């Protein structure tokens, strides 16, 4: 299982939110590149970069941060937040991201997203599914839909999407452990999927459990910044 550390960006700085709430913001480092280099130094190979300004504005904002990190590290980066138009996808991929990370657009505008998959290649996208009680949530989790997570995944696997990460929104940023049962169900239904767990990781025990049930990757954010897991401990996964 691959550990994918997360860097969330507001105003070019590395921050973390709790439950997606912008008022519950904590700045960890003014320089995301320093953080990315620490991850690389620990042997981690991937990075989950989230443009929170972009997510709020509905258009990519912090692509300069992406450009800086891709030019000064060899990390494989997925970049998301505010990718709403074809132009955003181009900016992200041209700025060095290996994957454009999309979520709500795949829920709200299937036609548009499928056209991107055809135009840029399905292998250029990391699809994120926010889930509450096995139903898809969108808009920074403010609204839940009646779309069942399994139907959602199946639909986009059929469109060629290969990598999906899933966040249980009730767990994210709370350090209360991941939704192992949900992930187990997803992996049983879609054994061929490159599946990445996200949200709630609070300890090495959580990561061991995710590896055990067959997750291909785990996105880890707050647990690293709060010192619940150390970069040294994470070396066992690299």
């Amino acid at each position: 299982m691959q550990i994918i550390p997360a860097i969330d960006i507001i105003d070019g700085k590395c921050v973390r939110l709790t439950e997606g709430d912008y008022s519950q913001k904590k700045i960890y480092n003014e320089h995301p590149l320093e953080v990315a280099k620490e991850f690389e130094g620990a042997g981690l190979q991937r990075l989950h970069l989230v443009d929170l300004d972009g997510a709020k504005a509905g258009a990519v904002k912090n692509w300069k941060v992406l450009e800086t990190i891709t030019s000064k590290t060899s990390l494989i980066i997925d970049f998301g937040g505010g990718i709403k138009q074809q132009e955003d996808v181009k900016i992200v991929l041209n700025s060095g991201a290996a994957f454009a990370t999309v979520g709500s657009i795949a829920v709200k505008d299937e036609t548009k997203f499928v056209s991107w998959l055809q135009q840029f290649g399905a292998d250029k996208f990391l699809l994120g599914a926010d889930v509450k009680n096995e139903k898809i949530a969108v808009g920074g989790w403010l609204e839940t839909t009646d779309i069942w997570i399994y139907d959602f995944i199946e639909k986009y696997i059929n469109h060629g999407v290969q990598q999906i990460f899933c966040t249980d929104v009730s767990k994210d940023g709370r350090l209360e452990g991941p939704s192992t049962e949900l992930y187990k169900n997803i992996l049983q239904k879609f054994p061929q999927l490159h599946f990445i767990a996200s949200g709630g990781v609070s300890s090495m025990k959580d990561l061991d459990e995710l590896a055990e049930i067959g997750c291909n990757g785990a996105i880890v954010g707050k647990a690293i910044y709060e010192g619940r897991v150390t970069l040294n401990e994470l070396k066992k996964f690299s």
Side-chain angles (χ1 to χ4, degrees):
M1 183 176 78
Q2 199 170 34
I3 300 297
I4 309 173
I7 293 181
D8 291 356
I9 308 290
I10 289 180
D11 296 332
K13 296 167 186 163
C14 172
V15 306
R16 289 304 287 170
L17 306 182
T18 298
E19 291 184 334
D21 182 353
Y22 284 76
S23 68
Q24 295 187 57
K25 172 180 80 178
K26 189 168 177 183
I27 296 173
Y28 285 101
N29 196 310
E30 304 270 331
H31 307 290
L33 177 62
E34 284 177 7
V35 184
K37 284 191 156 167
E38 276 177 42
F39 293 152
E40 186 179 39
L44 300 176
Q45 292 164 347
R46 274 187 70 165
L47 177 64
H48 179 65
L49 197 54
V50 184
D51 180 356
L52 290 174
D53 294 313
K56 212 172 188 179
V60 171
K61 295 288 178 195
N62 284 292
W63 55 272
K64 281 282 183 209
V65 176
L66 167 64
E67 218 169 47
T68 302
I69 296 175
T70 51
S71 64
K72 292 188 162 58
T73 72
S74 59
L75 293 166
I76 297 159
I77 301 176
D78 70 80
F79 182 96
I83 299 176
K84 296 280 182 268
Q85 304 299 335
Q86 186 179 309
E87 202 45 47
D88 296 312
V89 181
K90 282 184 187 159
I91 289 169
V92 167
L93 296 176
N94 290 341
S95 299
F99 308 100
T101 307
V102 295
S104 52
I105 195 88
V107 182
K108 293 183 158 181
D109 197 339
E110 185 184 339
T111 311
K112 184 188 275 188
F113 181 49
V114 170
S115 78
W116 293 353
L117 295 174
Q118 289 161 347
Q119 187 183 345
F120 297 99
D123 59 338
K124 289 284 183 213
F125 291 89
L126 173 62
L127 179 59
D130 289 341
V131 179
K132 204 170 192 174
N133 304 325
E134 298 200 335
K135 298 284 172 69
I136 297 285
V138 286
W141 319 336
L142 297 173
E143 41 182 306
T144 39
T145 67
D146 53 8
I147 303 165
W148 207 33
I149 176 64
Y150 309 105
D151 293 341
F152 182 76
I153 290 174
E154 184 167 27
K155 172 166 69 182
Y156 284 115
I157 284 178
N158 292 338
H159 280 301
V161 170
Q162 294 149 13
Q163 296 198 29
I164 290 179
F165 72 98
C166 182
T167 310
D168 183 334
V169 302
S170 64
K171 301 273 190 182
D172 193 56
R174 297 184 72 90
L175 298 170
E176 290 171 358
S179 289
T180 314
E181 283 307 306
L182 170 68
Y183 299 154
K184 211 187 275 184
N185 293 340
I186 290 171
L187 286 158
Q188 274 167 353
K189 287 187 168 69
F190 308 104
Q192 78 282 27
L193 179 64
H194 185 101
F195 182 77
I196 298 166
S198 163
V201 169
S202 66
S203 63
M204 287 301 286
K205 182 176 156 286
D206 290 340
L207 291 169
D208 289 335
E209 278 175 18
L210 293 172
E212 211 170 285
I213 64 169
C215 293
N216 301 91
I219 293 172
V220 189
K222 204 167 195 173
I224 295 174
Y225 298 110
E226 298 284 334
R228 301 289 189 96
V229 299
T230 67
L231 291 180
N232 210 31
E233 286 175 313
L234 291 175
K235 284 181 178 165
K236 78 174 223 184
F237 288 104
S238 56

